[in-house]
Amino acid sequence: MDTVRCRTRALSPPSDEAADGETQRYFDALYARGDDPWQLRERWYERRKRALTLAMLPRERYRNVFEPGCANGELSAMLAPRCDALLAVDLHARAVRAARERLAPWPHARVERRTLPRDWPATAAPFDLIVVSEFAYYLGLDDLRRLAARIDGSLDGDGCLLACDWRHRFDGRQVSTEAVHACFASRCGVLHVAHHREADVLIDVWTRDGRSVAQGEWLA
């Protein structure tokens, strides 16, 4: 993952319009290599990371799940069996096509092309799970704060927010992984329930009510 990212130039856009153009060119360069530029399917690191992510979810099943920045849908395909409805979005057309193919076995899952946080989806029901995996650090600080506000406004009263992020430096990064998670913790109206930190990855889980897994099953 880092090898691909470090070969592209940093994003430092002065405006929303410029940001969209720079971001599009950045991902155009990545997806020119194929629909899996980070080798999400093949790498043990990626498969293990997805297993960790799924294991840290405090509930076995969810009603309405949102995954922004879904890439080619590898994590989406693991979320789909654990929910009643899944919306996965990405800004790049090639990623959206690949994710739709990956999610074809699950008719309750849909994939849309959107630029976030500005093009936030309208939904009749709030999300009870939002998974932000290796997406938010591509945003500038203002957009990161907008993303947090959108999450706060869309997360249900019993909802869960999970953030999973690569910790190493790369040229496309706008903010640190730690800054992303601190922003979510302080601005999304959630309480921290789980934390996993390694040299490569940081995963944090928050919920609206702060209950543990055992408390959720009335064991504690």
Side-chain angles (χ1 to χ4, degrees), residues 31-42:
Y31 281 102
R33 303 167 183 266
D35 66 5
D36 191 11
W38 298 287
Q39 296 182 297
L40 302 180
R41 300 185 191 104
E42 291 83 8

Side-chain angles (χ1 to χ4, degrees), residues 103-110:
L103 289 170
W106 294 280
H108 65 281
R110 70 186 194 276

Side-chain angles (χ1 to χ4, degrees), residues 24-64:
Q24 187 64 48
R25 286 189 288 273
Y26 175 86
F27 286 102
D28 283 346
L30 290 180
Y31 281 102
R33 303 167 183 266
D35 66 5
D36 191 11
W38 298 287
Q39 296 182 297
L40 302 180
R41 300 185 191 104
E42 291 83 8
R43 285 183 171 171
W44 164 240
Y45 168 81
E46 297 292 347
R47 298 197 307 273
R48 176 180 177 271
K49 180 189 67 182
R50 288 193 294 272
L52 287 168
T53 298
L54 271 290
M56 289 184 68
L57 292 176
R59 296 199 337 240
E60 184 176 9
R61 191 165 183 85
Y62 293 86
R63 298 182 301 276
N64 194 22

Side-chain angles (χ1 to χ4, degrees), residues 103-147:
L103 289 170
W106 294 280
H108 65 281
R110 70 186 194 276
V111 184
E112 297 178 358
R113 186 179 182 185
R114 293 177 178 269
T115 300
L116 300 177
R118 189 172 62 259
D119 190 20
W120 195 260
T123 177
F127 301 110
D128 61 333
L129 174 62
I130 298 177
V131 177
V132 186
S133 181
E134 299 188 314
F135 157 69
Y137 47 38
Y138 289 110
L139 303 175
L141 185 57
D142 288 344
D143 270 345
L144 175 60
R145 290 169 176 167
R146 292 187 191 106
L147 176 67

